[in-house]
Amino acid sequence: MKYYFSIIFIISSIFYLNGQRLHSPVEIVRIMEKSDIKYVIDTLIGEGQRSYYPEFGQASKRLYRIESPGEIKLVEESSFDTNKKLKKCIKKGDKEIKKQRPEKARKHFNKANEIRPSDTRIINRIGDTYFNENEYQTAIYWYNRSLEFNTIDTKALRQSAQCYQKMEQFDLAMQFITKAHILNRNDTLLLQE
């Protein structure tokens, strides 16, 4: 009987702690908006010191995430050098982008996409060609396709946010840029958005 209150306190604490959950970025923004407290999202203003850890994750390798119902795995992206035809298509497409000819660049990137359909770097380049032509809805389609293969692709998230911003859908733009910012907090391009 003497330990009755302490046992009840411990059991209720366990249930309370077990009930805690993580919030999505959208929920965090909503909580911040409803709160009387003023929040400031702090980021690095200047260039931070870059650390190189050769044996850890994306610091050393270009990885992308594949989700299936039973597992989530990280797969290393292979370079374009392994396939000469692919490398040639990418090189031609990049040249056309520099010459500001997105239609011709898209033809080369589509050929590259046929060779390697799940490579998010190629899919993002196709989306970029539509973005350069102010076809934001089609660009969003390609960026979403990229996110199907790599859910943590901050470039696709950032570009989607820019598309929604251009289309004046600011709530969706905020969702995408917030998620990109959470995934890559010190990206200087994200800080400019």
Side-chain angles (χ1 to χ4, degrees):
M1 195 70 165
K2 136 178 165 177
Y3 300 109
Y4 182 74
F5 288 110
S6 57
I7 292 172
I8 290 176
F9 176 75
I10 291 171
I11 291 173
S12 63
S13 298
I14 290 171
F15 284 112
Y16 175 75
L17 292 175
N18 198 18
Q20 296 297 313
R21 66 179 181 87
L22 297 175
H23 296 284
S24 71
V26 176
E27 292 173 327
I28 292 170
V29 171
R30 286 190 187 134
I31 290 169
M32 289 169 50
E33 288 172 348
K34 290 179 183 177
S35 176
D36 295 333
I37 300 170
K38 183 176 181 176
Y39 290 91
V40 176
I41 297 176
D42 189 23
T43 58
L44 292 177
I45 301 301
E47 289 276 329
Q49 180 182 359
R50 294 195 83 164
S51 301
Y52 181 69
Y53 302 101
E55 64 275 2
F56 294 110
Q58 288 188 326
S60 63
K61 300 174 185 168
R62 298 261 322 151
L63 302 175
Y64 63 96
R65 179 174 156 164
I66 297 177
E67 289 185 50
S68 62
E71 66 181 352
I72 298 174
K73 58 183 174 180
L74 293 175
V75 179
E76 188 173 354
E77 284 182 346
S78 60
S79 86
F80 293 136
D81 295 337
T82 57
N83 187 328
K84 289 182 181 183
K85 187 176 180 183
L86 177 68
K87 184 179 177 181
K88 188 177 177 182
C89 291
I90 297 294
K91 193 174 183 179
K92 285 182 179 180
D94 287 340
K95 278 184 183 178
E96 296 298 336
I97 288 286
K98 287 179 185 175
K99 293 178 182 177
Q100 296 181 346
R101 294 188 275 196
E103 266 187 53
K104 289 185 178 182
R106 191 168 34 252
K107 287 179 185 176
H108 296 294
F109 293 142
N110 280 326
K111 287 179 187 175
N113 192 36
E114 289 173 9
I115 297 168
R116 198 181 288 174
S118 64
D119 195 318
T120 58
R121 296 169 292 179
I122 298 169
I123 297 170
N124 283 333
R125 282 182 168 114
I126 295 171
D128 291 342
T129 62
Y130 286 109
F131 182 82
N132 292 339
E133 291 183 322
N134 300 329
E135 295 181 30
Y136 302 119
Q137 201 63 41
T138 310
I140 289 170
Y141 165 79
W142 284 97
Y143 296 134
N144 285 339
R145 189 159 172 228
S146 174
L147 290 169
E148 288 174 10
F149 292 108
N150 182 4
T151 57
I152 58 174
D153 185 0
T154 55
K155 182 185 187 307
L157 291 167
R158 178 175 42 85
Q159 288 298 102
S160 294
Q162 285 182 343
C163 289
Y164 283 120
Q165 183 181 12
K166 298 278 187 184
M167 294 175 4
E168 296 182 358
Q169 295 180 3
F170 299 113
D171 290 339
L172 287 171
M174 183 66 173
Q175 288 176 10
F176 277 90
I177 203 68
T178 302
K179 187 173 181 183
H181 182 71
I182 288 170
L183 292 172
N184 193 355
R185 182 177 172 145
N186 295 320
D187 184 357
T188 54
L189 293 173
L190 292 173
L191 295 175
Q192 294 171 3
E193 294 300 314

